[in-house]
Amino acid sequence: MYDFLTITALNAHYGDFQALYDLNLSIAPSEVVAIIGANGAGKSTLMRSISGLMRNDATAIRWKGRDIGHLRADQVAGLGIALVPEGRQLFPSLSVEENLRIGGQTGRRGPWSLARVYQLFPILHERRRQPSTSLSGGQQQMVAIGRALMANPELIMFDEISLGLAPVVIRQIYDALPGIVGEGMAAMIVEQDITKALSVSTRAYCLQEGRVSLEGGSNDISREDISRAYFGV
Amino acid sequence: MDWINVLIQGILLGGLYALFAAGLSLIFGVMRLVNIAHGDLMVGAAYLGLTTCATLGVTPLVSLLLVVPAMAGIGYALQRVVLNRVMGEDILPPLLVTFGLSVILQNTLLLGYSADPQKLSTKVLDTASVAVGPFNLGWLPVLTFAVAVALIWALQWMFYRTALGRAFRATSDNQDIAQLMGLNRAHVFGLAMALALAVTAVAGIFLGMRTAFDPSVGGTRLIFGFEAVIIGGLGNLWGTLAGGILLGVAQAVGSKIDPGWQVLAGHVVFLAILAVRPKGFFPRIEA
Amino acid sequence: MSDMTKHAALRPMRPAGLSVSRASRASTITMVLCVVIVLGLVAAPWWAGRADLRLMGEMFLYLSLAVLWNLLAGYAGLVSVGQQAFVGFGGYMLFALTMLWGVPPLAAIALSGVIGAVVAMPVAALIFRLRGAYFAIGTWVVAEVFRLVAAQIGALGGGSGTSLSPQIVKALADGRAAREALTFWLALTLAVGVIAAVFWLLRSRHGLALTAIRDNELASKSLGIDIWRTKFLTYVVVGGLTTLTGSLIFLQKIRISPEAAFSANDWTAFVIFIVVIGGIGTLEGPILGTLIFFALRETLADLGTIYLIILGVLAIAIMVRAPRGLWGLVSEKTGVDLFPLSRRVRGLDR
């Protein structure tokens, strides 16, 4: 067990419906972990739980030796965990630059600044004064990633970043990934595209009906293992 | 000439109504809350000014230095302790809670100050006027109008140019994602209410300087502010000023025809505008 | 148990011994009790004193207002803070019809209800343009307009108001006791009628549509429910019946003035407190609320303004702690449902 992010026996519910069952998971510093699984397996619920959008038992989620399962999302953000939410979810009333600046709201220090984000995605600099809604899907995804980076997180979570984007744009965004996680930042990637997810990660978890059905090094997992873990056959 | 004078008086009166409306507009913009106790809070601020003037022997304008921060503090506490507990998808609970608040406030003021009408005396300002060509403009109405314009300009600047305004807009857009950015919704709402009541404090002091007031007048003042907001178009502060002016002019014209028609004329114009332009004259452009 | 319920609901053919019914044992007992209580109340003029009779009459009128406001806010989601518009309008219609146009009082009361519903139509068409909470303040503006217009009617005393002329009062019934009994019976009939009407309405297709809209406006739209029309009809019916109640209130008061007729405190604040304290969105709530409201008033009214402050604090506390009111607490604890509105599957416990 690492003393970075440790999840022990996490149970999550939506009303009467239980979405996660006694889930165990851990991430080490600067590790990239992929979370794969079919729709409704509990991937998004896991991210919502870690980020504090869903509140759980305090002890179910530990972050650098501290119980955080019960904290609100803004408190979790202040501790250095950022989420790039599914579907981008930019603020429509804010310009591109304002969307990025609000990511820096936590005031955490680190390598990421407005200038660095513009260096990573130069197109955003050109469009910085435009309303965020006027951008293309790929550019919006860049803003969403930049917004999360502005918080200088130690763990960044990506929820379905390639969903609804053109293949060329997806490649562009994945090409930028090493530049993002290269400096000791850990990452958790939820992705439908299994090949993509395994190629950028060091370890992978497969979820099925709210439980971990497979866990291992990204290079060691075989296709057969995955389909068994995916569909339970 | 008479009618032009009526028009000018109406426009200046509109400044006061824009002041009534600004706080209402602000909290609706940030958290979609309509505060039924808004008018009573305004009257409460006027009474707070009255007590401040009486105890410290200062003028009403100086009392703002104390009343504004006091109302802001009350606003923050009110939001965090009471209103945040009922905020959500259902608009009924917050509406009924502010309604209860309105009744509590009215009767508390009645208990503390009796039903006798009061006025914030400004000595010189009360009667001083300036002649502009053939028209005689009272200093107080002119000052009220200037303050309204300045306040709306300041709110507009805060909303679009500062980190606080950014936080307000982000929270209004999407509360969950704003929370992910490290913005505590409960705190942001508290700040919005604090700011709204600070504006309300200014409105209350000017209300008290312009007209006599008693604990029961809050309701009609809320309605005037509300009419200005709807006429101008939801979520547009300059539109609110325009709405206030239109309402002020309608009332001035009504009272010129028959003194008993002042308020009625304003309501009728409001309902007529609602009939022909339900979104007001300057609605916010939806993204 | 919950699994079994699900199964029973899903299966097209009901297994033997199971049936879907709205009635429960509690509701059947309630119905019988209601009939007994109503019969006892009808006889009240023979067993109750004058003051008690008057108080009960007032309670029935408030009960009607509360049940109607609850239908509007608790079921149709139309939170009005301007129902005094219709109460006052009803009062003024009674006075105008009887004093200015010589209509007999009882006919005037019935007529006022019809006119109230007609007037509610353009009002609804106009203020339905305001969404959610702004609708509430819109209703208030309408009430203010009604009040200001009433103050301009010189024939009915303008701003200072007028009294019902003695010959009209005498035309109602012979002697004071008979008149007081008659106004009491009218109030009782109205309260029972309003509760029955709302009960029937909520059990009808219209009521199902209302419940669907309240639970999920978007989904009900996709089910083909015309939301605007459903809300419009509700508003108009409530407007008419509130006007009727208003004319009865001022028949009892005999004096009218714009301030009293369109009082936001008397006809809206109190009514909202009754419903919120009793339980909004339940049929039992307004009844319980009316009993509590009058019990508090009879014991605390001497406190004057403090009484109102206590009511306000109580209402806020209930909204924050128990949004379904005291009846909500009772039915949550006991599972009792006096008025059978929701359907339940029976026979599972066998």
Side-chain angles (χ1 to χ4, degrees), chain B residues 18-30 33-39 196 199-200 221-227 229, chain C residues 134 137:
Chain B
L19 277 180
F20 294 171
L24 208 57
S25 203
L26 180 74
I27 51 165
F28 182 80
V30 176
L33 172 75
V34 173
N35 182 3
I36 294 203
H38 184 78
V199 174
T200 303
R221 299 316 182 273
L222 162 72
I223 290 180
F224 294 163
F226 157 77
E227 288 176 333
V229 170
Chain C
Y134 275 107
I137 309 183

Side-chain angles (χ1 to χ4, degrees), chain B residues 28 34 85 91-92 95-97 99 101 104 107-108 110-111 219-220 222-223 226-227 234 260-261 267 274-275 278, chain C residues 79 126 129-130 132-134 136-138 140-141 144-145 148 152 269 272 276 280 305 308-309 312-313 316 319-320:
Chain B
F28 182 80
V34 173
R85 291 163 184 262
I91 60 149
L92 189 79
L95 198 66
L96 294 183
V97 166
F99 182 80
L101 208 60
I104 294 172
N107 287 286
T108 309
L110 200 59
L111 212 59
T220 43
L222 162 72
I223 290 180
F226 157 77
E227 288 176 333
L234 284 178
W261 290 357
H267 292 330
L274 192 60
Chain C
V79 188
L126 202 55
R129 290 156 175 257
L130 295 165
Y134 275 107
I137 309 183
W140 198 350
V141 175
E144 281 296 287
V145 170
L148 292 166
Q152 297 289 324
I272 291 181
V276 167
I280 195 163
T305 48
L308 281 165
I309 296 173
V313 171
I316 290 181
M319 237 33 242
V320 171

Side-chain angles (χ1 to χ4, degrees), chain A residues 14-31:
Chain A
Y14 295 98
D16 286 340
F17 174 74
Q18 184 159 4
L20 295 178
Y21 295 86
D22 286 331
L23 191 124
N24 297 315
L25 183 151
S26 63
I27 295 180
S30 59
E31 190 181 27

